[in-house]
Amino acid sequence: VDVPENLTWLAKKYYDAKGSHGWNHIQDVLGRARLMVNPDNRQLSDPEIAAVLFHDSSLRGGDRKTHHIDSSKIAEKELAALFDQRTLKRISKAIQQHRGSYKGKYYSKLSELVSSADRGAPNLEDIIKRSYLYQTEHGYADPEKLVVEHIKRKYGRGGYARKPFYYQRLYADKLNKMYDDIDRLTPDKVLSVVGKG
C-alpha cells in the first residue's frame, strides 16, 4: 500500500516495531484493507489509510479495554491539520468501532472497512500465535489454556468477533473451515503451533 509519508511519520511513533500490536500488525491491516476494496476496483483513500494507521495507536503502554477510545483521541489530535472536521469524525468513529466486540451500527463504510481489515484472514495458526504472544507478554499463567478459551469465545462459531461485510465478502469459504478447526482446538495444539509442544 502506498502510504503518504506524512501519515506514516505521524503514526509510526506510537508503535513498537514488533509485538502483537506493533507496526508489523499495522502493515498487515493495511494490506488486508487494500484487498478488501480491490473488488470495488479502487485504491485506499487517505482517510482509510489514516484510520488503519491509528486504530491501535494507544496500545503501547495503554489500556487494551479502552484503546479504541484512546486511539481515536490520538488520531483526532494528530490528524486535525490534515482533514476537515467531517472526515476527521469518520476516521475517529472508525477507530472507535474497529473492535471485534463492537455490536452497534457502523457510522460509515470506513468503520466497517477498518473493523474488517483488523480481523486478519481466517488463519487459526496466526490467531493462536498472536493470542499466545499477548498472554505471555502479560505474564498470565497457563497461556495455552487461556488461548483456547479466548479463541473459542471470540472467533468460534457464534463467537463475539463481528464479521462485517468486507470481511465476509473476502473470506466466506475460509471462515467455515476455521470454525471446524476451532471446535477441535486444545491446549496441546496451541503449544504445538507456537513451538512449545
Side-chain angles (χ1 to χ4, degrees):
V1 176
D2 205 12
V3 179
E5 193 174 315
N6 61 335
L7 289 177
T8 300
W9 180 82
L10 287 172
K12 201 168 186 178
K13 63 187 173 188
Y14 290 100
Y15 298 97
D16 293 325
K18 296 185 180 182
S20 58
H21 290 90
W23 189 247
N24 55 341
H25 167 64
I26 299 304
Q27 296 302 302
D28 290 345
V29 176
L30 275 174
R32 285 190 295 273
R34 175 66 189 103
L35 288 173
M36 288 174 178
V37 301
N38 193 44
D40 298 329
N41 203 24
R42 66 178 182 82
Q43 298 293 317
L44 288 174
S45 67
D46 284 355
E48 289 168 335
I49 292 169
V52 169
L53 290 179
F54 282 92
H55 81 276
D56 282 340
S57 56
S58 72
L59 276 175
R60 188 172 72 184
D63 186 344
R64 183 173 173 80
K65 291 178 184 172
T66 61
H67 86 277
H68 54 300
I69 302 298
D70 301 335
S71 295
S72 72
K73 290 176 184 174
I74 290 171
E76 288 171 10
K77 181 182 127 223
E78 292 286 1
L79 301 172
L82 299 177
F83 298 101
D84 61 64
Q85 285 301 309
R86 185 172 179 230
T87 303
L88 196 56
K89 183 175 183 179
R90 283 178 50 240
I91 293 168
S92 180
K93 288 288 189 184
I95 293 168
Q96 291 172 24
Q97 297 172 349
H98 83 273
R99 296 187 72 178
S101 57
Y102 177 72
K103 301 295 182 206
K105 183 178 179 188
Y106 288 118
Y107 181 77
S108 69
K109 285 284 192 188
L110 178 56
S111 292
E112 197 165 355
L113 177 63
V114 176
S115 182
S116 294
D118 190 43
R119 298 291 153 267
N123 182 321
L124 186 55
E125 286 198 7
D126 287 347
I127 293 170
I128 289 169
K129 289 174 184 175
R130 194 163 163 222
S131 181
Y132 189 85
L133 178 61
Y134 177 82
Q135 303 296 337
T136 56
E137 283 176 345
H138 290 82
Y140 295 123
D142 299 320
E144 67 279 4
K145 292 178 184 174
L146 295 175
V147 168
V148 171
E149 292 169 13
H150 169 72
I151 288 175
K152 288 187 178 200
R153 199 171 50 249
K154 183 172 182 177
Y155 299 102
R157 221 177 296 276
Y160 70 84
R162 191 172 194 173
K163 279 101 180 155
F165 166 75
Y166 287 106
Y167 190 85
Q168 289 185 37
R169 179 171 76 174
L170 187 62
Y171 297 124
D173 293 337
K174 292 182 179 180
L175 282 169
N176 286 323
K177 181 185 180 328
M178 188 176 81
Y179 293 146
D180 291 341
D181 292 341
I182 289 172
D183 288 343
R184 296 187 294 269
L185 186 61
T186 65
D188 286 340
K189 175 66 176 172
V190 169
L191 291 173
S192 172
V193 168
V194 298
K196 305 270 184 189

